[in-house]
Amino acid sequence: MASRAAVQMFTLREYIGTGADFAATLKKLSKMGWSAVQLSAVGCMNGESPEVSAKEARAMLDDNGLQCIATHRGWEALARETQREIDFHQTLGCTFAAVGGIPAPYREQGADGFRSFVKESSQVIAELKKAGIRFGYHNHAYEFVRTGPGQRTRYDIFVDEGGEDFCLEIDTYWAVHAGVNPVRLFERAHGRVPVIHLKDKEVAEGNEARFAPIGEGNLDWSEILPACRAAGVEWYAVEQDNCFGRDPFNCLESSLQFLLEQGV
């Protein structure tokens, strides 16, 4: 069975600012053994007149035997230019569009803002679904602020009120950072987590919590990975926000080898 691990390209954002660098990076990932990527923070594809179009990116991916299994897109673009975003994803052959966090105007309203986002995103989600594209929300830690002493977290609003089409791109590092057991999240969101962000967390000297390659930190993958499988996770996007002076490609290679050993 082929690996279901993908590279979240935010990890390599410093290496994909130009078309030439993007092509070289994709080639390097392919040779390393990766089969898929999530397109996020690809500098050469950003802006109104990007150096690399979706069509050109698709050709680069195809040339290297890679597929785009997810993106991170701005909410404003998804909401106001929905058809353009649909065309973008269909050109890439990508069926999952996620946002990297809740827009500030909603976040600033607290729990009420989270409910408003769920309600107001429903039409966009429906339009994407008709085009064969699923919508996902990527969490950090702030979503787990409680709405009151002993009450639910803001993330619970997404889980309990979002509905089956409001998918959850659960980020393991940020869930753990917030004091939440990701296994419980996967159990509650069964069938709504087609793509996740795998991140590990280590403690460095001086009591500093840091990102780490998968398998080199302290997250309990012996429980997390089976929970992912049980929840119906299709793709495991590896992301390391900061490599702390270590070569990001080396970090990704270490993560891939660990995941292959775990049967991902």
Side-chain angles (χ1 to χ4, degrees):
M1 182 176 178
S3 172
R4 306 302 287 178
V7 174
Q8 213 306 41
M9 296 298 283
F10 181 78
T11 308
L12 300 170
R13 57 197 178 277
E14 297 179 2
Y15 299 84
I16 50 181
T18 69
D21 287 344
F22 184 44
T25 294
L26 293 178
K27 183 176 182 179
K28 195 167 185 177
L29 293 176
S30 179
K31 287 186 176 180
M32 195 183 294
W34 296 93
S35 60
V37 299
Q38 175 173 7
L39 294 183
S40 174
V42 182
C44 63
M45 295 183 69
N46 292 338
E48 286 300 315
S49 301
E51 179 186 354
V52 176
S53 67
K55 182 178 180 180
E56 291 166 333
R58 175 66 181 272
M60 290 182 186
L61 291 166
D62 290 346
D63 287 346
N64 289 285
L66 296 168
Q67 65 180 111
C68 174
I69 51 86
T71 65
H72 266 185
R73 305 294 288 175
W75 174 246
E76 287 296 313
L78 287 168
R80 297 184 179 182
E81 302 177 77
T82 309
Q83 187 56 53
R84 183 178 179 182
E85 287 295 310
I86 288 172
D87 294 342
F88 176 86
H89 285 81
Q90 289 181 336
T91 299
L92 288 170
C94 178
T95 60
F96 188 78
V99 293
I102 192 168
Y106 295 100
R107 181 178 176 181
E108 291 164 359
Q109 298 174 48
D112 288 341
F114 277 65
R115 287 194 174 89
S116 293
F117 183 70
V118 168
K119 181 179 179 180
E120 294 170 19
S121 66
S122 61
Q123 183 58 42
V124 175
I125 293 173
E127 290 297 315
L128 292 173
K129 182 178 181 179
K130 285 193 294 185
I133 300 167
R134 289 176 289 186
F135 170 83
Y137 180 90
H138 169 269
N139 66 277
H140 289 85
Y142 61 77
E143 294 90 350
F144 297 97
V145 170
R146 292 195 175 275
T147 57
Q151 296 182 28
R152 298 190 307 163
T153 70
R154 295 168 183 174
Y155 197 76
D156 289 329
I157 295 169
F158 287 164
V159 176
D160 298 334
E161 302 175 27
E164 63 180 8
D165 293 328
F166 191 107
C167 294
L168 302 166
E169 189 182 46
I170 294 173
D171 184 303
T172 56
Y173 179 100
W174 290 118
V176 169
H177 185 73
V180 174
N181 184 345
V183 172
R184 302 287 86 80
L185 292 182
F186 290 124
E187 290 173 348
R188 294 174 61 199
H190 182 274
R192 293 172 59 193
V193 198
V195 179
I196 66 165
H197 276 193
L198 288 191
K199 293 183 187 175
D200 213 337
K201 185 176 185 180
E202 66 178 352
V203 179
E205 294 294 339
N207 203 36
E208 178 187 5
R210 306 198 312 189
F211 302 98
I214 311 302
E216 295 187 23
N218 293 326
L219 269 66
D220 190 351
W221 299 109
S222 66
E223 290 192 358
I224 293 174
L225 292 177
C228 291
R229 297 186 186 98
V233 171
E234 299 168 19
W235 286 100
Y236 301 74
V238 174
E239 181 178 37
Q240 191 168 340
D241 298 32
N242 192 318
C243 294
F244 301 97
R246 183 171 166 183
D247 180 1
F249 291 98
N250 179 266
C251 290
L252 286 171
E253 185 169 25
S254 178
S255 293
L256 179 60
Q257 291 309 309
F258 175 80
L259 292 173
L260 291 174
E261 291 169 2
Q262 306 305 310
V264 173

